[in-house]
Amino acid sequence: MTERTGWSARRQDALLTAAVVAIGVADTWSKPSNGLLTGQPIALVAAASGAVGLALWWRRRHPGVVAAVVMVGYVIAFTPVALAVAMYTVGECYRNIRALVPFGVAGCAAGILALLAGPPSDWELRDLVFVLSLILGPLVLGFAVGIRRDLAVESQTTIEALERERHLLVERAKTGERSRIARELHDVVAHRCGNIVLTAGALKVSPHAQDPAVGRAAELIREEGHQALEELREVLGVLTPGRKGDTDGTDDTDQGTAPHPDVSQLDTLVERAGQHGRPVELRISGHPETLPAPVQRAIHRIVQEGLTNAAKHAPGAQVAVLVECRLDGVEVQVTNGPPTGSHGVEPPPSGGNGLIGLAERVSLLDGTFSAGPYDGGYRIDAFIPHRRPTTDTDTGE
């Protein structure tokens, strides 16, 4: 890109130089009496005017030297267009008023000398005003354009710095909120889960546990509590600052933490559901273990939430879990029939927040999600399309 811009500038300089040379030569042929070469052969004056115009080829690299050469050429061959371009370049390249004043004075002096070099009766006061305006006007205009360009660059730099600062403040706010959520989860949820595990353990060794059903229920409660604590530690590891987690969509494990849930744990979910007395049929088509980690985590959470909802609202119902890998993506369905039994106790309240979280998770993976009554029961259906590895987006475990 830089090389292309440089060539464009050279072409512009070449075009401008050729135009100034052509104008100077044409002006010489139409008005041969100019400058110190007044009365000299037209060919000599035209050659001198063309040479002065050619000096503009180096105006960007040596603006001051080119301006001085053009001033001398202006006195000799009267080249007003070349002098105007040279003065504009000086004003554009220099930003110091003290540096521009000598060029302005020298340019005015060159203009007066060029008028005096011609016939005494060949110019009037208005000619002097025109010549001085032709010299000072481009100088001031070039200075204004240069200042405006500097201000534009400075403004862009300031905007970029403010944008970086805003992004940093947003990241700090996110980190602070994640830390606060992690503390709340640790202080409240982890404490309650720990009490449940301890209570289940105490129940298992109590005299009431002589009943096999009670002992089995206590063991299941203890195992579920342990699993809840492990998953909670996993979430806390993501929320805690300074931990990689899986927010970048590439790291699947953290140093010192357990692996994140994936499709390899679906059998475990189904087995636990069976231990709780829920008949579950699992069907897996294709190779979901080859899917990106964020997609595998989404599949795991969908199945987990579907089994949990079936346990809450459809006790004893048959549950069917389908994970189908297709060419265009992967489809996950969790379908339960109508309830055939009762909990014995009132099911815990549910506001559907788990389904909302699943819909957000699937949406972040550019997928579709639906959940609702189906054939007397309930179905959760999600489809996640295949994505390029470079654009995998984590869902923020």
Side-chain angles (χ1 to χ4, degrees), residues 174-176 178-180 182 236-244:
K174 289 181 179 179
T175 302
R178 287 156 66 105
S179 300
R180 187 188 67 80
L236 293 178
V238 174
L239 293 175
T240 304
R243 302 288 294 277
K244 289 183 180 180

Side-chain angles (χ1 to χ4, degrees), residues 237-301:
V238 174
L239 293 175
T240 304
R243 302 288 294 277
K244 289 183 180 180
D246 60 348
T247 55
D248 58 1
T250 57
D251 296 328
D252 297 328
T253 59
D254 292 332
Q255 185 177 0
T257 63
H260 291 290
D262 53 31
V263 295
S264 65
Q265 302 178 22
L266 295 182
D267 291 332
T268 303
L269 290 178
V270 172
E271 181 181 355
R272 287 179 180 171
Q275 291 176 354
H276 285 281
R278 300 192 299 270
V280 181
E281 177 188 2
L282 174 62
R283 289 185 298 163
I284 298 179
S285 173
H287 299 279
E289 67 277 1
T290 61
L291 296 172
V295 177
Q296 293 194 44
R297 285 192 288 274
I299 295 173
H300 182 279
R301 295 306 186 194

Side-chain angles (χ1 to χ4, degrees), residues 198-209:
L198 292 176
T199 303
L203 177 61
K204 183 179 179 182
V205 298
S206 68
H208 301 285

Side-chain angles (χ1 to χ4, degrees), residues 348-395:
S350 175
N353 292 328
L355 297 179
I356 295 175
L358 287 181
E360 293 177 351
R361 181 187 297 272
V362 173
S363 176
L364 289 174
L365 294 170
D366 297 332
T368 58
F369 180 87
S370 63
Y374 178 79
D375 196 18
Y378 200 82
R379 168 175 284 185
I380 296 176
D381 193 349
F383 176 77
I384 302 175
H386 290 311
R387 309 173 69 191
R388 295 180 180 179
T390 55
T391 58
D392 283 343
T393 302
D394 203 331
T395 56

Side-chain angles (χ1 to χ4, degrees), residues 177-193:
E177 184 64 14
R178 287 156 66 105
S179 300
R180 187 188 67 80
I181 295 174
R183 289 193 300 269
E184 291 293 333
L185 287 174
H186 180 272
D187 295 341
V188 179
V189 181
H191 174 70
R192 296 299 183 186
C193 288

Side-chain angles (χ1 to χ4, degrees), residues 4 9 79 82 126 129 144 193 206 218 234 259 281 291-292 294 311 335 349 379:
R4 183 178 299 178
T79 53
R126 61 182 182 181
V129 174
C193 288
S206 68
E234 188 179 296
E281 177 188 2
L291 296 172
T335 307
R379 168 175 284 185

Side-chain angles (χ1 to χ4, degrees), residues 295-372:
V295 177
Q296 293 194 44
R297 285 192 288 274
I299 295 173
H300 182 279
R301 295 306 186 194
I302 293 170
V303 175
Q304 185 180 49
E305 182 66 21
L307 294 177
T308 302
N309 282 344
K312 288 181 181 178
H313 306 293
Q318 178 74 31
V319 182
V321 177
L322 171 65
V323 179
E324 182 181 8
C325 294
R326 306 200 303 250
L327 293 178
D328 55 345
V330 59
E331 184 171 4
V332 185
Q333 290 183 358
V334 182
T335 307
N336 63 266
T340 61
S342 62
H343 292 282
V345 295
E346 183 180 358
S350 175
N353 292 328
L355 297 179
I356 295 175
L358 287 181
E360 293 177 351
R361 181 187 297 272
V362 173
S363 176
L364 289 174
L365 294 170
D366 297 332
T368 58
F369 180 87
S370 63

